[in-house]
Amino acid sequence: IVSSMCAQGGLVLFVGTRPGQQHAVVQAAQLAGACHLFDEWVPGSITNGQQILGHCRLKLVDDQDRDVPTTTVLRASLVDQPALRPDLVVCLNMLENYPVA
């Protein structure tokens, strides 16, 4: 599923927030040509991304997670862009990221 989604140009996100998962999450994302998240998962960031993440600080990074310096013009043009939604999320620790009723 992951390779098919990536081959079709889909946005895939690997998520793993447990201590020690950082390397595995990054490695899996690199192998798939996908994105990764190993810090804090913000509940609702996919379904209500613009409302939840719209006020967050903008951080641009390259494919090696290094900060990319931005100009005022570039930053201003990105602020108006809607939050991206992945086509597929691969969650490596589902129980910790599953909302409790």
Side-chain angles (χ1 to χ4, degrees):
I1 293 173
V2 173
S3 59
S4 176
M5 183 63 67
C6 290
Q8 295 176 34
L11 179 60
V12 176
L13 174 65
F14 284 84
V15 178
T17 56
R18 284 186 187 153
Q21 282 187 328
Q22 179 176 350
H23 179 73
V25 171
V26 172
Q27 181 95 16
Q30 287 175 341
L31 289 171
C35 302
H36 62 271
L37 173 77
F38 48 79
D39 291 327
E40 181 181 351
W41 177 264
V42 179
S45 56
I46 292 178
T47 55
N48 297 312
Q50 200 58 35
Q51 292 83 7
I52 293 173
L53 301 175
H55 69 282
C56 293
R57 181 178 64 89
L58 180 64
K59 179 179 181 181
L60 297 176
V61 295
D62 64 13
D63 61 342
Q64 300 295 314
D65 284 337
R66 294 178 297 229
D67 288 337
V68 174
T70 60
T71 64
T72 304
V73 173
L74 176 60
R75 185 170 295 282
S77 68
L78 292 174
V79 167
D80 294 331
Q81 298 297 319
L84 293 176
R85 289 185 181 176
D87 298 300
L88 175 66
V89 177
V90 179
C91 188
L92 301 182
N93 49 316
M94 292 226 358
L95 295 179
E96 288 89 344
N97 290 298
Y98 191 80
V100 178

